[in-house]
Amino acid sequence: MTPFTKPVAPPHCASLLSTDTRGRALRGLWSICLSVFLTACASAPQVTDKSISQFDDRPPATSHLVALSNSQPHSGIRLLADPSEALQSRLHLAALATATLDIQYYLWQADNSGLALTHEVLQAADRGVRVRILLDDIYHSGRDSAYQTLNAHPNVEVRLFNPMGNRGAAKQVNYAFKKSTLNYRMHNKIFLVDGVAAVLGGRNIGDEYFGQDPSFNFQDMDAIALGEVAAEAGEAFDLFWNAELAFPVAALSSNPEEMPTAVQTAILATARERVTPPGEEDSPAATKAWLSALSTELLWTKARVIVDRPNRGSEQADSAFMTLLQDPSLRPTQSLVIQTAYLIPNGPTMSNIEAIGAEGMSMKILTNSAQSNNHNSVHAFYAPYRKRLIEAGVDLYEVQGSGSLAGYLDRVGEDGRAGLHTKSMVFDERVSIIGSYNMDPRSRVWNSEIALVVDDVSFAAEVLEEMARDFTPDAAWHVTLDDNGKLLWSGESGGEPVQFSKDPGTSWWTRFMWGVIRVFPLENEL
């Protein structure tokens, strides 16, 4: 980007302009405004010759990964709760690819984790692996040149979902002018190798999702899935890859495609070294050892994928996740344990919670506190629902931003903070749902979402064990009502019990600003 400085006008510059000069200036201003308006209203180009492809177009070569995926009926599942393991698993799986890599994410950052994974993806492409990368366009402004570089590889194709028509400085203005169309985002997360092994869950690609950020890291949850359910993930990927809203990046930019330079390749390799665990090497032997360990850790059971359709928008019905409770095989009868990063239970969500509470079922929910929430506006609209949730029978918890969970997640810095990014549920200690769906209007109405559903008591017990750490008094505030019906936060700090009558760590000004935010009609956008 070329920096520029804003010119400083001379004092009283308006008085120095003649009538004719002022007229020309006004016409120039209107011309600029019109140009910005037209740019903002730009639409993505029409693509008429987009290729259609499927996850199983290229059968994988005989490999230990393929043999493992076919070794037993149904699906092999392994929970990925530890952030470092979640990153290393993706890196090892990419190194094992022989035929295809299908990667779908809402966000892929250009930090150590993102660059390290890019390194492995390009290494796979160099081996002849066909790579398809599908990213949502909303948070990837200014990265078209990087996409073009990836796309220049003969074995890599990059597509962007529901892209902005303008690719320059007015990109976000473009969003504001065409919100009804561009508000629909692809929130899915899939990392699929050879059509036989997938990573599914809530994590985006970035340091804060893998315990690599020195100041702030997210607690999150993924799972490796082999066998039958990996094929379902492949079908879900194809659904979006071949959708009308998935645009080849080459059609969105006129920049010439260039392969990575030696300097860029070196940067990627350095990032890969930085995320390699101490005492370990980035080598085929390390990947082979990882796969050997995985083969002993998989739980072979029945699992399936739930995914929204790619043509979903504001006029469409609520997310497929809203029908979960209508499925007799999944509907809880005794208990729900839920972890959701963002909680705005308006509309049918609150009605479902109250109906479940009226049936006498146990409900336990963990979400972010004011200290751990990375979206202040979300917390502003969540806050008024807390009392109603508790009165409906919810055992409500909020993550302590600097509690024990922060210590668990902080692998590279000091005094780090923690946030919750998990989107997981366990019904009746039997059905586990790990995915991208938050309990908010954005997931329910605007985003497409995906999740892995595992109906297995053993796996549910493992998920609940991981969740239990996040509910402890030194990790989360227990939000209850006092004798006067006022909210009360209870927990531990420094090993001592503490209580608060206001959101811990907030000031009156912060709470006042929540009220100001709620004046604006934003709730259904969040």
Side-chain angles (χ1 to χ4, degrees), residues 77-93 105 191 197-203 209-210 218-226 290 294 297-298 408-409 411 422 424 434-435 452 459 462-463 466 469:
I77 309 295
R78 182 189 184 277
L79 185 65
L80 290 176
D82 182 87
S84 180
E85 286 185 358
L87 175 58
Q88 298 307 316
S89 295
R90 287 169 170 82
L91 294 169
H92 287 307
L93 283 169
Y105 280 99
F191 192 87
V199 178
L200 301 167
R203 288 182 174 94
Y209 302 98
F210 300 116
F218 283 116
Q219 172 67 345
D220 215 325
M221 198 173 287
D222 288 322
I224 298 176
L226 273 67
W290 175 85
L294 176 66
E297 297 163 347
L298 290 170
Y408 165 73
L409 293 172
R411 313 295 173 93
T422 309
S424 299
I434 300 173
L452 172 70
F459 186 72
E462 188 177 355
V463 175
E466 288 292 341
R469 177 192 55 245

Side-chain angles (χ1 to χ4, degrees), residues 246-310:
F247 284 70
V249 70
L252 298 171
S253 175
S254 59
N255 295 329
E257 297 182 0
E258 296 181 1
M259 289 284 286
T261 65
V263 172
Q264 290 171 325
T265 301
I267 291 172
L268 297 178
T270 299
R272 179 66 181 90
E273 292 173 3
R274 285 175 178 162
V275 302
T276 301
E280 209 176 281
E281 292 184 1
D282 170 24
S283 67
T287 296
K288 182 178 180 181
W290 175 85
L291 183 60
S292 177
L294 176 66
S295 66
T296 66
E297 297 163 347
L298 290 170
L299 172 68
W300 292 90
T301 186
K302 292 183 178 181
R304 60 185 169 108
V305 167
I306 292 178
V307 64
D308 285 319
R309 61 184 183 274

